[in-house]
Amino acid sequence: MGGSAEANGGAGAARVPVPPARPFLDTFRGNLKETFFPDDPFRGVVRERGAGRRTVAALRYFFPFLEWMPAYRLGTFKSDLIAGITIASLAIPQGISYAKLASLPPILGLYSSFVPPLVYALMGSSKDLAVGTVAVASLLISSMLSREVSPTENPALYLHLALTATFFAGVFQASLGLLRLGFIVDFLSHATIVGFMAGAATVVCLQQLKGMLGLDHFTTSTDVVSVMDSVFTQTHQWRWESVLLGCGFLFFLLLTRFISKRRPKLFWISAAAPLTSVILGSVLVYLTHAENHGIQVIGYLKKGLNPPSVTSLQFSPPYMMLALKTGIITGVIALAEGIAVGRSFAMFKNYNIDGNKEMIAIGTMNILGSFTSCYLTTGPFSRSAVNYNAGCKTAMSNVVMSVAVMVTLLFLTPLFHYTPLVVLSAIIISAMLGLIDYQAAIHLWQVDKVDFCVCVGAYLGVVFGSVEVGLVVAVSISLLRVLLFIARPRTTVLGNIPNSMVYRRMDQYAAAQTVPGVLVLRVDAPIYFANASYLRERISRWIDDEEERTKGKGEMGVQYVVLDMGAVGSIDTSGTSMLDELKKSLDRRGVQIVLANPGSEIMKKLDSSKVLEQIGHDWIFPTVGEAVASCGYALHSHKPAGVLKDSAAARESMV
């Protein structure tokens, strides 16, 4: 520090030292590790000694069942058996329902509840996630693919494109996990997901009016205007039999859910209600021959396990890009839902799941699923909640569910011939109503109005546009907010808490007081090219405002500007140039710039860019208190701030 070091009795060190230089490759490696491997996932592998033990540790990482299977006990299996049978009773009717929602053959819903759960049981890290098809992804597949290919006029091509989209979704999901890019999914904020899911649930419910009203023809559009137009222009085709049957079963399903919510121990009532509805509806149609009176039924479902479908994938123009786009969009939505659900239940049971590992597991099961006549699957909330409430202990519950579905495929599919479609519509509507989380929206309004706008934007985009439009609107608003945080960071004035060296925000602490001649500002964000110009102008405005205030009261004008850099985690070349320009601008006004609490990266870049030399070591302090005290001492003694002896002298000068 030059003269400052001598004045301090030969202390010989800068108040805020410049950290030693590190080789570029070391710095780059550290930043790379922190970006892509913040959880250090392979630490368990590295700690093992010997190639054999390391291989086993690596296998345990990619196949988590190797961790819990050796300690698996009969008591644990009893719990998983009950949970597996319970979720199977929900998975079978939901699988058939969601396949119809995706405009696919109903049997694909059962296929998709057989192979993917087995894969997830081997590779998934969640104990509670129950794998299967989901309504939102099913609706997305239908809405995106049906624009180019009609599922009724060309069902074979439509099916092949759905399987191809599932393959691309799986490749995309697994790639995100392998490349450690899981943070991309985090751009779908909680507010985005709440609005998007509520909008998608609304659209799905509206689409089920076709089945509830017994209509033969219905719009393929998903926006509310088109759906309502299709409904009310066909009032002469409404079938009272379908309306009566659908409303009756919907009331039954909602009643069972209400009972289960009021008494959580009776969760099994709600879980068994969909299968009960299917059985009762099928028996009723069979006995009354209702299919001859306008009640549409599922019809023939062939027996047998999943047929291979590798040769059905479409990798040639002109439809490959459609399948690719559909796969990526539905893959992101499925990932967001699956990981969010898995993390939620992991928090309840106090264990952690690896997001990147989950992506690999979900991606792999969709890739293999596309080879075995399955369409997109993930971890739906409703099925996972039933799994959790049923007392599952491990992912073995998915295996039990898969076995139950296998038995159904081999022996029981003819029993679904008379299942009325209106019952499937009622099952979908009852499941979707649970996704409209109005309480979360109210909470967003109370806590953060911008998040509420994101939520509403996503909802309105889905309901009045399409599922894709809603997703784009929500993500755009979220990214805009992030950009505003970066481009317009908050700066606040700090004041001194009386009888202390503590400085806090003036707009938050009424007791905080300004220091005559010293303006203390806190910058609450990294300084980048996107906000450097704004910060320079904003700091100048703070100085102008303070000058006007002190001039009106006849007080001392601003002599020193102390910048609290504690929240500035990083700075780029534009930021260092901004500080250099600010220094020159303040020099022309006779004001000295002072930095307090700059981090190591800030000091290194200020030093290498020669800005530190321009500002001077004497004007950089480890704390705001020392910086202000030094400025106050200089004002009172008319000496440079760098010759301050110690904090005691500073406190005396302030008094």
Side-chain angles (χ1 to χ4, degrees):
M1 285 180 58
S4 176
E6 295 175 4
N8 279 297
R15 292 179 183 275
V16 181
V18 177
R22 290 178 59 191
F24 171 75
L25 288 179
D26 289 351
T27 304
F28 179 76
R29 191 182 299 115
N31 292 335
L32 197 66
K33 180 180 178 181
E34 194 60 31
T35 301
F36 296 103
F37 301 93
D39 53 345
D40 196 9
F42 301 114
R43 59 185 180 278
V45 178
V46 175
R47 290 173 183 171
E48 296 290 347
R49 295 183 178 179
R53 300 186 66 173
R54 287 188 175 183
T55 301
V56 172
L59 288 174
R60 280 200 301 266
Y61 175 79
F62 288 104
F63 298 95
F65 85 98
L66 294 174
E67 296 181 4
W68 53 264
M69 183 57 74
Y72 201 70
R73 297 292 180 267
L74 181 61
T76 306
F77 177 70
K78 290 179 180 179
S79 299
D80 288 337
L81 179 64
I82 295 173
I85 294 174
T86 305
I87 58 177
S89 67
L90 180 64
I92 292 170
Q94 274 193 351
I96 296 173
S97 303
Y98 293 159
K100 291 293 291 182
L101 181 62
S103 302
L104 292 168
I107 194 67
L108 257 73
L110 297 181
Y111 290 161
S112 302
S113 296
F114 172 48
V115 173
L118 293 176
V119 178
Y120 185 82
L122 299 177
M123 303 185 66
S125 58
S126 173
K127 302 175 184 177
D128 305 282
L129 205 67
V131 171
T133 55
V134 287
V136 176
S138 300
L139 177 67
L140 264 173
I141 289 174
S142 176
S143 64
M144 296 183 71
L145 293 182
S146 60
R147 293 175 187 171
E148 302 285 340
V149 179
S150 172
T152 54
E153 297 177 4
N154 200 342
L157 178 59
Y158 182 86
L159 172 60
H160 295 169
L161 289 178
L163 296 176
T164 308
T166 301
F167 172 79
F168 283 129
V171 171
F172 180 71
Q173 293 166 336
S175 299
L176 288 181
L178 290 171
L179 298 175
R180 311 294 295 179
L181 297 176
F183 60 86
I184 292 177
V185 180
D186 294 335
F187 280 98
L188 292 174
S189 65
H190 174 66
T192 301
I193 294 175
V194 169
F196 178 80
M197 288 298 182
T202 302
V203 168
V204 170
C205 290
L206 292 175
Q207 286 286 321
Q208 299 318 299
L209 291 176
K210 174 186 178 182
M212 296 291 285
L213 299 175
L215 299 176
D216 294 322
H217 304 287
F218 205 70
T219 178
T220 57
S221 300
T222 58
D223 62 283
V224 64
V225 176
S226 300
V227 172
M228 290 295 98
D229 179 70
S230 183
V231 167
F232 289 106
T233 55
Q234 301 185 75
T235 53
H236 58 287
Q237 295 185 13
W238 292 7
R239 298 184 181 274
W240 67 267
E241 300 93 341
S242 291
V243 175
L244 182 62
L245 192 64
C247 291
F249 278 106
L250 180 60
F251 175 77
F252 169 70
L253 291 165
L254 294 178
L255 179 63
T256 57
R257 195 173 71 175
F258 175 77
I259 294 173
S260 297
K261 279 189 174 181
R262 292 293 296 270
R263 299 198 174 182
K265 291 184 178 180
L266 299 178
F267 71 91
W268 56 270
I269 294 179
S270 178
L275 186 58
T276 304
S277 299
V278 168
I279 294 173
L280 292 177
S282 301
V283 171
L284 183 63
V285 169
Y286 177 76
L287 294 177
T288 61
H289 302 286
E291 74 273 17
N292 298 327
H293 301 282
I295 300 296
Q296 301 174 9
V297 297
I298 289 179
Y300 172 72
L301 291 180
K302 65 177 182 179
K303 286 185 181 181
L305 300 181
N306 304 31
S309 56
V310 178
T311 56
S312 299
L313 303 182
Q314 294 280 331
F315 296 124
S316 58
Y319 297 111
M320 190 186 76
M321 292 308 298
L322 172 63
L324 177 62
K325 182 178 73 171
T326 304
I328 291 176
I329 293 178
T330 55
V332 170
I333 297 302
L335 269 186
E337 182 173 357
I339 292 177
V341 170
R343 285 175 176 171
S344 298
F345 290 110
M347 180 181 65
F348 293 153
K349 287 189 177 180
N350 196 29
Y351 69 93
N352 296 318
I353 65 172
D354 186 333
N356 288 291
K357 192 186 299 185
E358 286 294 285
M359 291 180 179
I360 296 174
I362 294 174
T364 303
M365 75 183 188
N366 279 315
I367 293 173
L368 296 179
S370 68
F371 296 160
T372 53
S373 300
C374 304
Y375 80 102
L376 192 68
T377 54
T378 185
F381 177 80
S382 57
R383 206 175 299 181
S384 300
V386 170
N387 194 32
Y388 172 83
N389 290 324
C392 69
K393 300 298 182 183
T394 67
M396 181 62 75
S397 59
N398 278 289
V399 178
V400 175
M401 177 187 69
S402 182
V403 172
V405 173
M406 179 186 70
V407 173
T408 302
L409 286 169
L410 290 174
F411 306 108
L412 305 179
T413 50
L415 299 179
F416 294 98
H417 182 281
Y418 291 100
T419 300
L421 297 183
V422 66
V423 172
L424 301 183
S425 296
I427 291 172
I428 293 174
I429 291 175
S430 65
M432 289 300 96
L433 290 178
L435 293 180
I436 303 176
D437 195 351
Y438 64 90
Q439 292 179 335
I442 294 173
H443 178 71
L444 290 172
W445 171 260
Q446 294 171 341
V447 175
D448 192 322
K449 302 297 189 293
V450 177
D451 267 352
F452 178 78
C453 291
V454 172
C455 177
V456 171
Y459 180 82
L460 295 178
V462 173
V463 172
F464 289 99
S466 64
V467 178
E468 307 97 284
V469 170
L471 183 62
V472 170
V473 169
V475 173
S476 299
I477 296 176
S478 298
L479 290 178
L480 179 62
R481 188 180 189 188
V482 172
L483 292 175
L484 286 176
F485 279 146
I486 295 175
R488 296 293 182 267
R490 180 167 47 196
T491 57
T492 52
V493 178
L494 305 184
N496 176 246
I497 302 298
N499 303 316
S500 73
M501 294 287 286
V502 177
Y503 287 78
R504 293 293 181 264
R505 291 177 54 169
M506 297 280 291
D507 59 351
Q508 183 177 3
Y509 292 84
Q513 301 175 355
T514 59
V515 178
V518 182
L519 175 62
V520 185
L521 298 175
R522 177 180 174 86
V523 181
D524 286 337
I527 303 177
Y528 293 130
F529 65 93
N531 59 30
S533 297
Y534 166 78
L535 284 174
R536 182 178 63 250
E537 295 169 1
R538 191 68 186 90
I539 292 170
S540 298
R541 288 210 313 273
W542 278 120
I543 297 172
D544 293 338
D545 293 343
E546 183 67 10
E547 289 281 7
E548 290 182 9
R549 187 189 70 81
T550 55
K551 185 177 180 181
K553 293 185 177 182
E555 298 176 356
M556 180 187 300
V558 178
Q559 303 295 314
Y560 297 91
V561 175
V562 178
L563 296 182
D564 181 5
M565 308 285 283
V568 181
S570 60
I571 190 170
D572 66 359
T573 53
S574 297
T576 58
S577 299
M578 183 275 289
L579 290 178
D580 188 32
E581 293 172 10
L582 182 64
K583 158 70 177 169
K584 295 174 181 177
S585 174
L586 294 181
D587 283 346
R588 290 193 292 269
R589 300 177 63 165
V591 178
Q592 176 64 50
I593 184 173
V594 183
L595 304 184
N597 194 23
S600 61
E601 182 178 345
I602 309 299
M603 288 298 292
K604 282 194 291 187
K605 291 190 176 180
L606 291 180
D607 183 50
S608 59
S609 63
K610 306 300 181 183
V611 176
L612 184 60
E613 183 179 326
Q614 297 296 323
I615 296 176
H617 282 287
D618 290 348
W619 301 106
I620 301 178
F621 297 85
T623 66
V624 175
E626 289 186 66
V628 176
S630 184
C631 295
Y633 179 82
L635 285 171
H636 285 78
S637 63
H638 304 290
K639 294 181 179 180
V643 301
L644 177 65
K645 297 285 185 181
D646 52 34
S647 296
R651 284 193 290 270
E652 291 176 5
S653 69
M654 295 297 292
V655 176

